[in-house]
Amino acid sequence: MSGDHGLRSSLPAAAKAIAEIPHLKLTLLGQKQAMLDECQRRAIDPSQFTLVDVPDVIGMDESPAVALRKKQDSSMYKAIELLRDGQVEGVVSAGNTGALVALSRFLLERSPGIRRPAMCAPLPGDGGDTYMLDLGANVDCKAEELVQFAEMGSALVTCLKGIEAPRVALLNIGEEASKGTELVRQTAELLAAEPSLNYIGFIEGFDLFTHKADVIVCDGFVGNIALKVCEGTASYISRQLKGRFRRSWYGLISGLFVQPLLKNFKDDINPDEYNGAALLGLSGVVVKSHGGSSKKSFYSAIRHAAKAAEQDLPRRIAQQLTLT
Amino acid sequence: MSGDHGLRSSLPAAAKAIAEIPHLKLTLLGQKQAMLDECQRRAIDPSQFTLVDVPDVIGMDESPAVALRKKQDSSMYKAIELLRDGQVEGVVSAGNTGALVALSRFLLERSPGIRRPAMCAPLPGDGGDTYMLDLGANVDCKAEELVQFAEMGSALVTCLKGIEAPRVALLNIGEEASKGTELVRQTAELLAAEPSLNYIGFIEGFDLFTHKADVIVCDGFVGNIALKVCEGTASYISRQLKGRFRRSWYGLISGLFVQPLLKNFKDDINPDEYNGAALLGLSGVVVKSHGGSSKKSFYSAIRHAAKAAEQDLPRRIAQQLTLT
């Protein structure tokens, strides 16, 4: 129970999740007294959760190496241990991404053949979602790893949507074969040669929300920047619109009319808040929620994890990967 | 006169520029008959331009190498030759970016010490513009080159805004020193050690429009993707808003009110249409306009180039670079 907003958003989100998601059981790890205090402040009944008292927390600026070596008593470490030992079916965290990836890789089994787990989230779009990966788990990637991301994304879409041959595209700065970095061009060749994939070629940044592909593949550095640029653009537009509505009497009247339509609009189109990012390629369900998560977005991440666990996604993705 | 929309947008933009920008003279290169026909169709007086008949054009999918070797008779090649020979003071193109960069590097002198020119454009933001580079001229970069981009961006902001020590930030996926690719971390060390720069550290994708920095540095692959993601997000939001306004009677009425406020909003926040991207580090003014430029955005690119030429920006940036 950490992240930038800490208990203030995660506890109400947990209470909402218990109320709304059937059969859900939630174990909350953190400083027990702080959790109890926050429950009292918000009139949330703590007995509906299993509270596990964990004294330590991994700071947002601590390196993955430190998390691995020195943070066995942190809430994140303990949560992933519970997952490894089968005591929970999924983990949701709004904490340090690097640490979450490192601990998951260290403590959980990887799907057969998978070299590096990747972070994947759906983006909304005209007519359907597009699943994008990697969103930040792997900063420096090799072409073979990007191909595995494509395979995992494709398997995920097949499991979730029943689409037999999901359209896989590679994020690039142009659609022509000559465009892009050495890594992207190498990856394109491998993807095109992979019969189990329905590879449709390069896709550009302006097509993230047009549903031209079911899966968009990129390295974690580019993916994380792209995701945050979406967020920054949406925020800026929202601020600009508000400013325009404020600047004139005409705008003020229009603003009153439009307010209900714009309400939560930013949340809707913010892909990170849209659903939480799942770490694919592991034996268990690990969902990363945005560090600055609101109650709404943390709830989405819990719902996402619950659904993935209920559908036994890690096993099904692994199975799908072996099949193709 | 090429680009995806061709003469349909560039000719009206040129006419608007001649009418509105004082002392501007425009030389248009392309197939003369096609230009004359388009002028007639649109009741534009062709005698206000210098028309240069050039038979060939560089296709959007042709490689820079082909442009260099085989396209001496193309409009882009001829335009940059005119610039080199001092017959024009700036070039604007909506054509193939790779070819424009390659031809500019080949035909024009570089500013002293500069290894690779970089593409730079202003992003609007709360309280002021942020200049971002590289936006696609250099796909695979070295740390030393990114430092030069920082120096060029900083010199540009000093020339344009009179800011003595512009705040320079490096685009990354986190603010902590341990974050990012090897390239980004190496670059950060070099930037911090460079006394002529006011380096303020890493910046994330959601801060592109918050004016936390005057200059944002990244490699051309990441920069180009980021720019196009801005565009895609803005487009998607615009489509979504329209959809919402259409879905209910309440929305329809609100839409009528809001229409005038949303008009051109997409253009305003689309950073590529915002002003055109300048190729810095060369002896002449070269401005790249978006391939899919509308009349409005192509006009912005012409205005941008005219202003840069009037202010003698290439020489002043070069001077600024030698000073620091």
Side-chain angles (χ1 to χ4, degrees), chain A residues 60-138:
Chain A
M60 292 305 258
D61 52 353
E62 281 179 299
S63 76
V66 169
L68 276 173
R69 280 202 318 270
K70 301 192 177 164
K71 293 288 181 168
Q72 282 88 346
D73 287 328
S74 65
S75 49
M76 192 190 282
Y77 202 107
K78 291 288 179 207
I80 300 172
E81 272 186 340
L82 290 183
L83 179 60
R84 178 197 63 191
D85 300 342
Q87 294 183 266
V88 299
E89 290 171 69
V91 165
V92 179
S93 169
N96 181 323
T97 309
L100 185 68
V101 174
L103 292 178
S104 300
R105 285 180 67 171
F106 179 66
L107 292 169
L108 303 175
E109 272 180 45
R110 247 164 277 170
S111 305
I114 292 301
R115 291 155 62 152
R116 300 171 93 180
M119 212 165 266
C120 180
L123 306 175
D126 314 315
D129 291 348
T130 294
Y131 287 77
M132 185 159 160
L133 73 170
D134 175 37
L135 297 175
N138 305 283

Side-chain angles (χ1 to χ4, degrees), chain A residues 221-292:
Chain A
F221 185 74
V222 168
N224 194 280
I225 284 180
L227 197 70
K228 286 173 180 165
V229 167
C230 295
E231 193 185 326
T233 309
S235 259
Y236 178 65
I237 292 176
S238 162
R239 292 196 299 279
Q240 282 285 309
L241 281 175
K242 276 188 199 148
R244 285 182 180 221
F245 288 133
R246 263 193 231 110
R247 267 200 294 276
S248 65
W249 65 267
Y250 183 85
L252 276 170
I253 295 173
S254 315
L256 290 176
F257 272 87
V258 176
Q259 218 67 39
L261 289 169
L262 287 184
K263 200 170 168 293
N264 293 329
F265 184 69
K266 209 186 105 197
D267 277 6
D268 280 2
I269 56 92
N270 177 342
D272 205 320
E273 306 221 353
Y274 187 61
N275 227 339
L279 208 47
L280 302 184
L282 295 167
S283 59
V285 172
V286 178
V287 170
K288 169 70 175 73
S289 178
H290 194 277

